[in-house]
Amino acid sequence: MKTAVDKKKLYINGEWVEAKSYTTLTSPYSGEALAEIPAATEEEVEQAISAAYEARKEMASMPAHKRAEILEKVAAQLQERTEEAARIIALEAAKPITTAKGEIARTVQTYKFAAEEAKRIHGETIPLDAAPGGENRVAFTIREPIGVIGAITPFNFPMNLVAHKLGPAFASGNTVVLKPASQTPLSAYFIAELFEKAGLPKGALNVVTGSGRTVGDKIVTDPRISMITFTGSPEVGIGIRNKAGLKRVTLELGSNSAVIVDEQVDVDRIIPRCVFGAFSFQGQVCISLQRIYVHEKRYEEFVEKFIAAAKQLKVGDPLDPNTDVSAMITPKDVDRALAWIEEAKQGGATVALGGERDGNILLPTVILDATPTMKVSCQEVFAPLVLINRVRSIEEAIELVNDSRYGLQAGVYTDNVHIAWEAVEKLHVGGVLINDIPTFRVDHMPYGGVKESGIGREGLRYAIEEMTELKLVIFNKNK
């Protein structure tokens, strides 16, 4: 006899609505059923968009202090329910519970930053008399909410990446239709409950789960939605961009992030950080450390110490607080990663560690001497897999980092300020991190990439700029 699981409802116009059809959500680690999840129809998505559209005027007219108060209440509730929230993430995403608690701590900060930014939205004055004919006129700008925002979020940070959509959207007076990833809907419904208790107006947040073809396409193409904010794969992101028409679009897409290690660096000091960057949450992070380029004078030492440290990682149940690496999000992703590893082996690369599966877990994998054209190098692997290659110079390393369709963040370890500045100037990425891995992110910094890593920037203040319209006001003092 099967154990009954929780049956979730759509969140539309401030109400929990029974859906017409459902799918079963299972744990990536154990395969056990976790919940019955609504598979929204186009009609149900229509209801969600209508609710958001009707609520937009109320949200736009809400005082900044009230918007900030709602966001602060959500942050406080989330802080109080950290254990519960982290467990949800561990179950639905197989994120190790200790890592999941770290995500909750960051999510609390994200909502707090959003509350602060709600009170700092402003324009500027413009000296029109700088141009002939502009005398006796006063000009200033104001920022207004863009309207209804369609938010489409991925599985890998199901609380914090939702916060990076909802936080700035509500801080700037917008309404949202949220489509969370199919594998991590429980986090989104949990957050909707917190906003409901915090007093967010009905219709300001609507959560609809289901297929990208039904839910996503409707959100992207509906003319009442003014902006799409999406985090996910480049293939889907490019498709959204092509369908969105004149909507504003922010895309946070993939990467095959790299770090460069110069010859003077203290290897012992950076090994723990590099291992963390490569294997945290099974490498399923947009800025996961996928490529490491080490100066040839330190290469052998680095490889030996990196592999020794990686062997100490504990693999297993995401609910075990000692687990470092657990299951990947789907068995198909494990299959894909193994196929790419096999391709690298056939091409002459060396699998120095791992390269095997244990159920739905891909064991931490280190590959040496991979060529730039191998899939494990030139594509986003999104798995607990890292390449370590030797380079003769920093110039060569920079060229290899830039030889990518992506450009999100890159790191450089060096004690030489001239090399650091050379990297800053020549690396074609959205963020350069000196003496750190590319996996570093705090939630108020500008975050985004170039090339196929996306367009636009997240980070609360920067996202608010994306989610507002600039209006110019001119007063003519000559009556």
Side-chain angles (χ1 to χ4, degrees):
M1 179 174 161
K2 291 185 178 180
T3 304
V5 295
D6 191 16
K7 190 176 185 180
K8 296 297 180 181
K9 295 180 179 180
L10 299 166
Y11 186 65
I12 298 174
N13 200 27
E15 304 290 338
W16 295 96
V17 180
E18 187 86 19
K20 294 180 179 178
S21 64
Y22 282 81
T23 60
T24 301
L25 177 69
T26 59
S27 161
Y29 175 71
S30 67
E32 67 178 311
L34 300 176
E36 294 296 315
I37 303 299
T41 64
E42 188 169 330
E43 179 185 351
E44 289 163 334
V45 182
E46 164 68 27
Q47 292 169 3
I49 295 172
S50 295
Y53 191 74
E54 290 300 317
R56 74 194 193 286
K57 291 182 180 180
E58 181 179 0
M59 276 299 292
S61 63
M62 181 182 288
H65 70 85
K66 179 63 176 175
R67 300 196 298 269
E69 180 184 336
I70 290 170
L71 290 161
E72 286 283 8
K73 286 180 178 179
V74 169
Q77 291 180 80
L78 186 57
Q79 181 84 61
E80 292 172 1
R81 299 173 67 177
T82 291
E83 295 291 333
E84 178 185 358
R87 183 176 175 84
I88 289 171
I89 294 174
L91 287 171
E92 67 179 353
K95 178 171 286 191
I97 190 70
T98 302
T99 308
K101 288 179 181 178
E103 179 178 346
I104 299 304
R106 281 185 59 189
T107 307
V108 170
Q109 288 296 313
T110 300
Y111 284 121
K112 285 184 175 181
F113 282 130
E116 294 168 7
E117 292 298 337
K119 296 176 281 188
R120 292 200 284 253
I121 300 172
H122 56 81
E124 62 180 351
T125 57
I126 301 163
L128 294 185
D129 60 356
E135 297 86 354
N136 295 311
R137 287 172 173 80
V138 175
F140 60 91
T141 60
I142 56 176
R143 286 198 169 272
E144 296 182 333
I146 199 167
V148 182
I149 295 174
I152 304 174
T153 56
F155 73 84
N156 57 336
F157 286 86
M159 293 274 185
N160 198 35
L161 290 184
V162 165
H164 272 282
K165 315 299 187 189
L166 303 188
F170 297 146
S172 51
N174 296 288
T175 63
V176 177
V177 178
L178 170 65
K179 182 203 175 298
S182 297
Q183 183 57 44
T184 53
L186 301 180
S187 295
Y189 285 127
F190 178 82
I191 289 296
E193 177 190 332
L194 301 190
F195 272 106
E196 182 182 37
K197 291 180 177 178
L200 188 71
K202 290 186 176 182
L205 172 61
N206 305 271
V207 182
V208 282
T209 48
S211 74
R213 186 178 298 276
T214 300
V215 179
D217 284 0
K218 176 65 176 172
I219 289 173
V220 169
T221 58
D222 193 286
R224 292 166 294 179
I225 291 181
S226 300
M227 176 182 177
I228 301 296
T229 174
F230 169 81
T231 302
S233 71
E235 291 74 21
V236 175
I238 292 168
I240 287 173
R241 179 71 169 164
N242 291 337
K243 294 175 185 176
L246 293 178
K247 288 181 175 66
R248 190 171 297 175
V249 177
T250 296
L251 302 175
E252 298 297 340
L253 307 177
S255 189
N256 57 348
S257 297
V259 72
I260 297 169
V261 179
D262 195 13
E263 62 181 296
Q264 298 93 359
V265 169
D266 180 351
V267 169
D268 289 321
R269 179 177 60 85
I270 70 172
I271 287 293
R273 187 74 176 141
C274 290
V275 170
F276 169 83
F279 301 120
S280 179
F281 188 36
Q282 294 82 265
Q284 297 170 132
V285 180
C286 295
I287 42 177
S288 180
L289 177 54
Q290 184 174 328
R291 299 180 292 156
I292 303 176
Y293 297 109
V294 184
H295 194 283
E296 60 185 0
K297 292 183 179 179
R298 309 305 297 278
Y299 178 77
E300 299 295 342
E301 177 191 3
F302 184 94
V303 169
E304 178 183 348
K305 292 179 176 179
F306 186 96
I307 290 174
K311 286 179 178 179
Q312 302 305 309
L313 296 173
K314 181 174 180 180
V315 174
D317 188 339
L319 293 176
D320 182 344
N322 295 313
T323 294
D324 299 302
V325 175
S326 189
M328 291 181 66
I329 199 67
T330 70
K332 288 183 179 179
D333 284 289
V334 183
D335 295 339
R336 171 188 54 79
L338 287 170
W340 290 10
I341 292 168
E342 183 60 30
E343 179 208 53
K345 288 167 62 177
Q346 294 299 319
T350 300
V351 178
L353 181 69
E356 299 175 346
R357 75 188 304 160
D358 179 2
N360 203 24
I361 298 173
L362 177 66
L363 299 181
T365 299
V366 177
I367 295 179
L368 310 179
D369 303 319
T371 63
T373 58
M374 292 175 179
K375 289 187 176 71
V376 292
S377 180
C378 67
Q379 298 193 29
E380 181 181 37
V381 70
F382 230 58
L385 185 159
V386 65
L387 317 179
I388 308 177
N389 281 3
R390 73 178 76 225
V391 291
R392 293 183 299 275
S393 66
I394 296 301
E395 291 76 16
E396 179 188 0
I398 290 173
E399 288 181 8
L400 288 166
V401 174
N402 286 339
D403 184 18
S404 171
R405 51 193 278 222
Y406 305 111
L408 191 45
Q409 293 191 161
V412 181
Y413 281 105
T414 182
D415 293 334
N416 187 319
V417 69
H418 301 292
I419 288 174
W421 274 113
E422 181 182 6
V424 168
E425 291 174 350
K426 293 183 178 179
L427 285 170
H428 190 201
V429 292
V432 178
L433 292 89
I434 303 301
N435 290 323
D436 208 349
I437 54 175
T439 322
F440 175 83
R441 182 184 182 185
V442 289
D443 296 288
H444 61 299
M445 75 185 209
Y447 177 78
V450 298
K451 298 186 278 190
E452 289 189 32
S453 286
I455 53 175
R457 291 294 182 270
E458 288 191 341
L460 284 305
R461 178 166 70 87
Y462 309 94
I464 285 172
E465 291 178 2
E466 304 276 353
M467 294 178 175
T468 53
E469 296 281 13
L470 191 68
K471 178 180 281 185
L472 174 66
V473 180
I474 299 175
F475 275 83
N476 185 350
K477 294 187 287 185
N478 293 319
K479 296 183 179 179

